[in-house]
């Protein structure tokens, strides 16, 4: 029996030794053979050098380096592809997902037969007001549109080999790990955890990256926005029929108002609605385009265990 711990790192040179040390200690405490699969997501600092040193000193540590920054979702895919364990624990590289929770996850998996153990945030830790508001807006929209409540969900999870193999069968290019793992089902348990403070560096998510992830998440799980366009269009048509009848009646009665204001307002409103709707359709078409191209999700530049690709 082998446990894999999968950790993505992006520009975390100061964090790598601390994270690997802590995780290794916790894993040794469990007493099962394990491997640490560390993914360098195209860092521009010394993260890869730190990972190579760690891998050279301990054969249980494996490093994989992307050819550039492909983002955390791609890093998760690559780590799940590379893992050899019978269970895979996925966690952040900044120790914000406390490794002390791993033994409980492993116990639920090994003794109680759960196949997916979700780490659930007890609170969101210390965060700025704006990121709290953005997260809350995103999760509310996501739940409304898709029916999945991922409110306190995190990427801190244990997955059984069966689940990992199913996941790897997905051909979807733009993944949303949290959502897809909820979609997969299987016997699930939850383990609450307290989000720890980040000790070195800063969050690697720029507002733009977060926006892209949110759009990818919603468009991959829901086509409601497209139907919303149809509904909006129908409402506009109903409104214009009513307005048309009124206008004709007024005209027949010989009291057609010189309604320049109305015309301008209607033009702006309808023009805006059409532009937004076209843009939205464009987002979905772009997604189809990306998926159809069928490019690999990531490109590996090198691996510490020899597998240069
Ligand atoms: N990360 C990554 N690629 C990226 C952005 C982030 O591999 O493009 C990693 C990062 O190194 C960390 C984890 O994903 O291990 C979570 O990122 P971060 O702590 O910045 O996110 P937050 O905790 O603010 O949600
Ligand atoms: Mg973090």
């Amino acid at each position: 029996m082998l446990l894999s711990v999968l950790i993505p790192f992006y520009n975390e040179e100061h964090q790598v030794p601390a994270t690997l040390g802590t995780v290794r200690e916790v894993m040794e405490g469990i007493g099962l053979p394990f491997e640490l699969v560390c993914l360098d997501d195209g860092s521009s600092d010394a993260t890869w050098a730190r990972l190579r040193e760690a891998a050279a000193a301990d054969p249980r540590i494996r490093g994989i380096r992307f050819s550039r920054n492909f983002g955390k979702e791609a890093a998760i895919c690559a780590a799940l592809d590379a893992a050899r364990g019978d269970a895979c624990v996925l966690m952040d590289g900044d120790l914000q997902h406390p490794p002390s929770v791993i033994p409980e996850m492993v116990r639920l998996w090994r003794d109680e037969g759960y196949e997916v153990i979700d780490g659930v945030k007890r609170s969101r830790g210390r965060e700025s007001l704006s990121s709290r508001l953005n997260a809350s807006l995103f999760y509310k929209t996501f739940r409304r549109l898709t029916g999945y409540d991922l409110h306190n969900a995190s990427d801190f999870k244990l997955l059984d080999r069966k689940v990992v193999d199913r996941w790897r069968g997905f051909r979807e290019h733009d993944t949303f790990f949290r959502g897809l793992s909820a979609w997969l089902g299987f016997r699930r348990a939850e383990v609450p955890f307290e989000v720890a403070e980040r000790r070195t560096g800063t969050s690697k998510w720029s507002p733009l990256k977060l926006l892209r992830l949110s759009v990818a998440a919603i468009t991959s799980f829901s086509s409601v926005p497209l139907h919303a366009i149809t509904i909006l269009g129908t409402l506009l048509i109903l409104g214009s029929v009513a307005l048309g009848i009124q206008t004709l009646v007024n005209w027949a009665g010989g009291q057609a108002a010189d309604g320049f204001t109305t015309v301008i307002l209607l033009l702006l409103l309808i023009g805006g609605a059409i532009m937004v709707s076209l843009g939205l359709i464009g987002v979905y078409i772009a997604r189809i385009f990306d998926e159809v191209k069928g490019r690999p999700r990531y490109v590996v530049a090198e691996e510490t265990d020899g597998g240069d690709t």
Side-chain angles (χ1 to χ4, degrees), residues 8-10 12 41 69 71-72 75 92-94 96 198 202-205 209:
F9 292 100
Y10 178 50
E12 308 270 13
D41 185 8
N69 180 232
K72 187 182 173 192
D92 279 2
D94 54 5
Q96 287 198 287
R198 192 181 236 287
T202 51
S203 173
K204 301 297 180 289
W205 287 94
K209 267 188 176 170

Side-chain angles (χ1 to χ4, degrees), residues 100-266:
S100 53
V101 175
I102 298 178
E104 172 64 6
M105 289 180 152
V106 172
R107 190 190 67 75
L108 284 166
W109 169 70
R110 195 160 59 140
D111 301 344
E112 305 197 14
Y114 287 105
E115 291 154 323
V116 179
I117 326 287
D118 292 301
V120 176
K121 292 175 189 162
R122 219 182 255 134
S123 67
R124 295 189 57 95
R126 265 216 267 147
E127 257 182 324
S128 69
L129 185 66
S130 71
S131 88
R132 208 178 278 268
L133 285 178
N134 285 337
S136 140
L137 177 70
F138 167 73
Y139 284 118
K140 278 204 184 109
T141 316
F142 192 81
R143 200 192 57 214
R144 283 267 160 74
L145 296 182
T146 69
Y148 291 102
D149 186 4
L150 300 180
H151 185 54
N152 281 323
S154 71
D155 290 340
F156 190 19
K157 294 182 194 300
L158 180 147
L159 305 180
D160 183 79
R161 169 52 49 191
K162 247 190 298 189
V163 184
V164 174
D165 287 342
R166 286 283 169 273
W167 162 276
R168 293 185 59 206
F170 285 179
R171 297 211 315 277
E172 211 162 322
H173 182 271
D174 236 343
T175 55
F176 177 50
F177 180 65
R178 256 169 249 191
L180 284 173
S181 107
W183 179 91
L184 265 167
F186 286 99
R187 295 195 58 205
R188 313 177 75 93
E190 293 186 349
V191 174
F193 72 91
E194 212 59 71
V195 178
E197 284 288 313
R198 192 181 236 287
R199 265 177 261 161
T200 68
T202 51
S203 173
K204 301 297 180 289
W205 287 94
S206 64
L208 191 67
K209 267 188 176 170
L210 276 176
L211 183 68
R212 266 172 42 192
L213 181 68
S214 310
V215 172
I218 289 176
T219 51
S220 77
F221 273 88
S222 169
S223 49
V224 171
L226 284 175
H227 304 311
I229 295 181
T230 321
I231 293 170
L232 183 72
T234 315
L235 288 179
L236 281 175
I237 287 175
L238 288 180
S240 60
V241 167
L243 210 66
I245 291 175
Q246 193 214 20
T247 314
L248 280 178
V249 168
N250 283 349
W251 176 77
Q255 40 169 308
D258 46 340
F260 186 65
T261 325
T262 330
V263 172
I264 286 292
L265 285 180
L266 279 179

